[in-house]
């Protein structure tokens, strides 16, 4: 099915689908997904049809598959990992008389679905006339609990709305395992999820009364999961009930007579759990216990709990803008999905698609530490602690990988679910060693923002030390060039296996310095890890002498050694339908040209901005802007942040829209296989780090706020060192205020100010004059509308 560009009415706190749009069905399944970090449910219809990609996921639950190579090499990963579409509990099929409700048949009188961002539920109202002329109104409310990690629930009501007398209906509430999964619209995309055929083997099926539990295990990874359902029914007249449970299907059937104008209601409670060690009976008991407590609490209490959790988070996480209602909606949708992805992951990874679809095989990448955790650090720091503890739990696997590669310390995987490297393409996988420094960067940011000394001692210091050891053994000292890190791939996967990638080297430099500081803070940890004084001295020397290539002739940094000497890409001869380049040109041709897939050197200007002068940032941004084709959804947010810092405010505003609206407008054509969680996090990042100018170098908060012409006001809040800080940016002034906590020193355009619970208002200096920059043909962001000073 070809994915279309969806349309959603602009609403401040919700996302609504009106009518049926078959071309956008897969995208809607992704954007209407509900999750809590443990359970993920795509926004498919309760009745199961029509559907593009069925999907229910448990974080960390996967199947193994062999990685095929035409010619294998030493150190190539042998096993892939793919997220499993587990037992589907969303299904509540409705038969009106003897006709199943299917929106592809009959007549849709009214149809509306709404994702309520404040209450964390998906509501649906459908009035449907069957081919036999009977009309019913179906209303449902679905939630995945943010308070109760293993629980989801659906309230499903059917009302007879015609005047043709009594109506007989049947509801079939299912647990269905091994649903057929179609590769869908991404079938030709190498990033798409690998197809799995019947990955679950039944071990136990129990059904009694209104409750059923199915327990399955995977064939190769030997993981075990259980899914359970229980029900509460409210019927107006006579009804019959039946429960059956087989290997891959448990079904509760309710048949009822609806007198004219009456309605029935079914509440379905769902519970999920998985383990690599627990037995089938133990998992069954775990799920049944969770079901019992959820049913005792009742659906209304689950709704109240959901709103309470979100009220607490929105008080800190919301970004308010004036002047662009569409962007306001997109920012809130993005933050909502970021919260869903991480709040209850609890020492499991945060995948690149969250739990919204099977794209990228359900893997986690550097997206987590570089895009998602910088947001969660300031709005939900407990989720960051859990995510980094998951990384720490995989340290032994990372150490083993480093030994396999002949290195010291830990070599974290480019893509994984459990912790093993599963990238089958070396240049864009193993060679992307910057993942280690990205993890270290997230550790440092979290510690600086929270002052969580227990985490620093028990987890953070070890992560910093082992990643530093990797850099010390990966690089080498050269008499002419200092410390070099050769043969690596930076964020730009179109310039692979290069020497001295600036982003990698500068992030490694910070990693080495922070590891040395961690040794000084925690000599006991250093002693346990047998860190020597000579080793720390080597880290410090490597950081001091780190090679950062610079082209004095052009006055710009080289993205990597000799990059500015490569042949230019012929953009004029590249048709629009030949993007993304990786799907239309051989890698050999791409690797040797000056063409950039996504922000790389430009990202270094953001995350290691303390290593550049302002003049260098201006020159570097202009040079790489003209060579970046943005064949990745990760690019727009970083380009926006640096565009804002270098004075290109209107360009930054345009990129902001691209980042925030990536999935709502399906800009990359593949949102049907899951949301781009990093790009959605980028919406918050551009607001705060771009137009707020927030930087957190060396544990200090720096702000350089300026607004694009269309935005008249921007307000956000941050959690920082036990305080909550509010920043309200106007066209000419910015106001800082602490909502709680001791006074805090921050910097405003280089001027230090002390902020307390009274408002501190300071002037915003005018943006500097800038020379226009250009992008490759077709790579400029879409303009964001009227009211701009161009």
């Amino acid at each position: 099915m070809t994915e279309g560009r969806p349309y959603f009415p602009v609403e401040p706190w919700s996302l609504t689908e009106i009518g049926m749009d078959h071309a956008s069905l897969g995208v809607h399944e992704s954007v209407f997904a509900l999750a809590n970090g443990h359970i993920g449910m795509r926004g498919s219809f309760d009745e199961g049809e029509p559907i593009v990609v069925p999907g229910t996921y448990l974080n960390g639950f996967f199947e193994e598959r062999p990685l095929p190579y035409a010619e294998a090499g030493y150190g190539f990963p042998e096993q892939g990992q793919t997220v499993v579409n587990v037992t589907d509990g969303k299904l509540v099929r409705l038969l009106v008389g003897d006709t199943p409700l299917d929106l592809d048949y009959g007549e849709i009188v009214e149809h509306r679905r709404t994702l309520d961002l404040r209450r964390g539920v998906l509501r649906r109202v459908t009035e449907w006339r069957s081919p036999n002329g009977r009309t019913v109104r179906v209303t449902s409310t679905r939630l995945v609990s943010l308070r109760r990690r293993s629980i989801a629930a659906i309230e499903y009501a059917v009302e007879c709305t015609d005047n043709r007398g009594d109506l007989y209906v049947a509801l079939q509430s299912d647990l269905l395992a091994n649903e057929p999964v179609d590769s869908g619209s991404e079938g030709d995309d190498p990033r798409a999820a690998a197809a799995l055929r019947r990955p679950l083997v039944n071990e136990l099926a129990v059904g009694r009364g209104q409750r059923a539990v199915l327990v399955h295990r995977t064939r190769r990874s030997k993981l075990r999961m259980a899914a359970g359902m229980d029900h509460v029914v409210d019927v107006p007249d006579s009804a019959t009930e039946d429960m059956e449970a087989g290997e891959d299907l448990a079904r509760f059937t309710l048949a009822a007579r609806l007198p004219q104008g009456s309605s029935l209601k079914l509440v379905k409670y769902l519970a999920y759990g998985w383990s690599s060690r627990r037995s089938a009976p133990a998992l069954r008991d775990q799920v049944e216990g969770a079901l019992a407590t959820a049913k005792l609490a009742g659906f209304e209490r689950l709704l109240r709990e959901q709103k309470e959790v979100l009220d607490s988070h929105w008080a800190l996480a919301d970004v308010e803008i004036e002047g662009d209602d569409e962007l306001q909606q997109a920012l809130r949708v993005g933050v909502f999905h970021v919260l869903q992805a991480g709040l209850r992951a609890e020492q499991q990874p945060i995948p690149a698609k969250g739990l919204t679809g099977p794209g990228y095989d359900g893997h986690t990448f550097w997206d987590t530490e570089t895009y998602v955790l910088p947001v969660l650090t300031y709005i939900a720091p407990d989720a960051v602690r859990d995510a980094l503890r998951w990384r720490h739990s995989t340290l032994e696997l990372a150490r083993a990988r480093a030994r396999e590669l002949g290195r010291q310390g830990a070599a974290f995987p480019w893509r994984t679910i459990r912790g093993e490297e599963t990238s089958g393409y070396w240049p864009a996988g193993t060679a992307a060693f910057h993942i280690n420094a990205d993890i270290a960067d997230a550790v440092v940011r979290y510690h600086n923002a929270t002052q969580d000394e227990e985490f620093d001692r028990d987890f953070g210091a070890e992560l910093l030390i082992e990643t530093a050891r990797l850099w010390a053994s990966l690089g080498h000292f050269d008499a002419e060039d200092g410390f070099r890190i050769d043969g690596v791939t930076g964020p730009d996967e179109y310039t692979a296996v290069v020497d001295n990638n600036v982003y990698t080297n500068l992030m490694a430099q910070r990693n080495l310095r922070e590891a040395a500081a961690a040794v000084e803070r925690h000599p006991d940890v250093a002693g346990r890890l047998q860190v020597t004084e000579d080793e720390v001295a080597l880290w410090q020397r490597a950081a001091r002498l780190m090679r950062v290539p610079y082209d004095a002739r052009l006055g710009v940094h080289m993205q990597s050694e000799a990059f500015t000497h490569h042949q230019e890409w012929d953009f004029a001869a590249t048709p629009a339908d030949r993007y993304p380049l990786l799907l239309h040109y051989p890698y050999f041709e791409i690797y040797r040209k000056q063409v950039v897939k996504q922000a790389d050197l430009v990202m270094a200007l953001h995350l290691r901005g303390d290593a550049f002068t302002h003049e260098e940032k201006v020159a570097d941004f202009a040079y790489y802007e003209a060579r970046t084709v943005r064949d990745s959804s990760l690019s727009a947010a970083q380009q926006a942040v640096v565009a804002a810092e270098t004075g290109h405010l209107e360009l930054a505003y345009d990129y902001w829209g691209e980042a925030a609206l990536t999935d709502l407008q399906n800009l990359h054509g593949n949102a049907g296989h899951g949301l781009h969680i990093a790009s959605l996090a980028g919406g918050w990042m551009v607001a705060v780090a771009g137009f707020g100018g927030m930087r957190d170098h060396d544990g200090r908060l720096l702000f350089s706020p300026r607004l694009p012409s269309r935005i008249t006001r921007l307000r956000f809040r941050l959690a920082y060192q036990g305080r909550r800080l509010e920043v309200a940016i106007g066209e000419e002034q910015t106001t800082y205020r602490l909502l709680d906590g001791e006074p805090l020193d921050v910097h405003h355009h280089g001027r230090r100010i002390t902020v307390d619970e009274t408002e501190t208002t300071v002037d915003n200096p005018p943006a500097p004059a800038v020379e226009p920059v250009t992008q490759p043909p077709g790579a400029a962001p879409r303009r964001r509308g009227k009211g701009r000073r161009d």
Side-chain angles (χ1 to χ4, degrees), residues 557-616:
H557 287 87
M558 301 180 189
Q559 181 173 282
S560 54
E561 204 75 62
F563 178 87
T564 55
H565 299 286
H566 291 182
Q567 185 179 356
E568 297 279 3
W569 184 271
D570 190 351
F571 292 112
T574 306
D577 62 0
R578 302 285 280 178
Y579 292 93
L581 299 182
L582 80 164
L583 299 183
H584 299 94
Y585 294 91
Y587 276 117
F588 165 73
E589 187 67 14
I590 297 173
Y591 286 168
R592 63 196 188 98
K593 300 287 183 66
Q594 288 194 55
V595 58
V596 180
K597 179 182 180 182
Q598 64 198 66
D600 186 312
L601 190 286
V602 168
M603 183 181 286
L605 302 179
H606 171 203
L607 296 181
R608 282 303 319 273
D610 54 333
F612 301 87
T613 67
H614 180 74
E615 291 73 22
E616 288 173 339

Side-chain angles (χ1 to χ4, degrees), residues 38 54 121 125 144 146 264 351 431 440 455 498 503 557 579 725 730 736 766 772:
H38 172 56
V121 297
V125 177
V144 174
L146 296 169
L264 69 82
F455 170 86
V498 297
Y503 174 86
H557 287 87
Y579 292 93
L725 171 67
Y736 299 90

Side-chain angles (χ1 to χ4, degrees), residues 329-404:
Q329 179 189 41
L331 289 178
R332 286 175 174 152
V333 170
V335 171
F336 176 78
H337 280 294
V338 169
L339 291 171
Q340 285 200 129
L343 280 183
R344 301 302 306 273
E346 297 182 9
Q347 297 178 51
Q348 290 294 338
I350 299 177
K353 297 288 190 181
L355 297 174
T356 67
Y360 305 122
D361 283 324
H363 291 169
T364 188
F365 297 76
W366 69 308
D367 304 35
T368 298
E369 283 80 14
T370 305
Y371 288 82
V372 178
L373 297 193
V375 177
L376 292 174
T377 294
Y378 300 106
I379 65 173
D382 288 347
V384 178
R385 192 180 204 272
D386 282 337
L388 293 174
R389 286 191 62 187
W390 171 76
R391 282 292 190 189
H392 184 272
S393 75
T394 69
L395 250 177
E396 284 307 317
L397 293 171
R399 289 184 177 115
R401 179 63 171 162
R403 290 193 298 270
E404 183 181 21

Side-chain angles (χ1 to χ4, degrees), residues 36 131 150 403 449 474 489 640 679:
N36 62 8
S150 61
R403 290 193 298 270
L474 187 65
T489 299
S679 186

